[in-house]
């Protein structure tokens, strides 16, 4: 598998292009807003999630967690900005497992040592993928 998303680029390539087009600060701010359950520019959401993103802008509440997942994924690939740390730490306790998993991946990639305690809690998460992501992140932070 090439890692290319269904829209022809990888998520990393899409986020990097968005940072060039809109500025890293704008992309990071949008990702943080999404992690907090807020709104963001639909063009930035499309860069984070692809062409199917607009269908989730007016999605029912039970599907809006995808916006938080995409916000975390954007932080995964955008150049790190410490202003996003608090949002990632909160996301580690999100009600939806996909958000927790992606936030754990962000902590590993950007070596967020402040997340160690929250990651330790996730080692007993109900979801296997979250537990695995937390374990990998802790290895990155402590190994």
């Amino acid at each position: 598998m090439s890692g290319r998303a269904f829209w022809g680029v990888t998520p990393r390539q899409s986020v990097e292009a968005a940072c060039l087009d809109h500025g890293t600060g704008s992309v990071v701010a949008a990702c943080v807003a999404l992690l907090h359950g807020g709104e963001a520019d639909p063009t930035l959401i499309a860069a984070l999630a692809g062409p199917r993103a607009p269908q989730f802008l007016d999605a029912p509440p039970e599907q809006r967690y995808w916006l938080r997942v995409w916000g975390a994924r954007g932080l995964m690939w955008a150049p790190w900005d410490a202003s996003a740390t608090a949002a990632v730490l909160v996301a580690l306790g999100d009600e939806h497992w996909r958000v927790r998993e992606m936030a754990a991946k962000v902590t590993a990639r950007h070596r967020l040592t402040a997340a160690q305690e929250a990651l330790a809690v996730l080692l007993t998460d109900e979801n296997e993928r979250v537990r695995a992501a937390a374990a990998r992140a802790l290895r990155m932070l402590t190994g």
Side-chain angles (χ1 to χ4, degrees):
M1 181 180 231
S2 71
R4 293 214 179 272
F6 63 91
W7 69 93
V9 296
T10 65
R12 180 180 190 161
Q13 291 168 326
S14 188
V15 171
E16 288 173 346
C19 287
L20 289 174
D21 292 345
H22 301 279
T24 299
S26 293
V27 172
V28 169
C31 292
V32 167
L34 291 172
L35 275 177
H36 286 304
E39 303 296 325
D41 179 342
T43 61
L44 286 177
I45 293 173
L48 299 172
R52 293 187 187 156
Q55 72 188 28
F56 289 94
L57 297 178
D58 295 320
E62 65 270 11
Q63 293 180 354
R64 288 191 58 87
Y65 71 88
W66 281 109
L67 297 170
R68 299 190 308 278
V69 172
W70 297 328
R73 183 166 65 185
L75 293 174
M76 176 99 157
W77 299 118
W80 186 248
D81 185 318
S83 68
T85 301
V88 173
L89 294 176
V90 169
L92 290 168
D94 194 272
E95 65 185 347
H96 200 279
W97 70 266
R98 290 180 189 275
V99 180
R100 296 190 306 273
E101 177 192 24
M102 188 58 69
K105 290 177 179 183
V106 171
T107 65
R109 177 164 176 75
H110 296 294
R111 303 241 192 319
L112 302 182
T113 56
Q116 287 182 352
E117 188 175 317
L119 290 167
V121 170
L122 292 180
L123 293 175
T124 60
D125 194 271
E126 63 191 34
N127 185 279
E128 181 179 345
R129 287 174 53 170
V130 173
R131 292 190 306 269
R136 281 190 302 274
L138 281 170
R139 282 193 303 273
M140 294 291 292
L141 296 176
T142 61

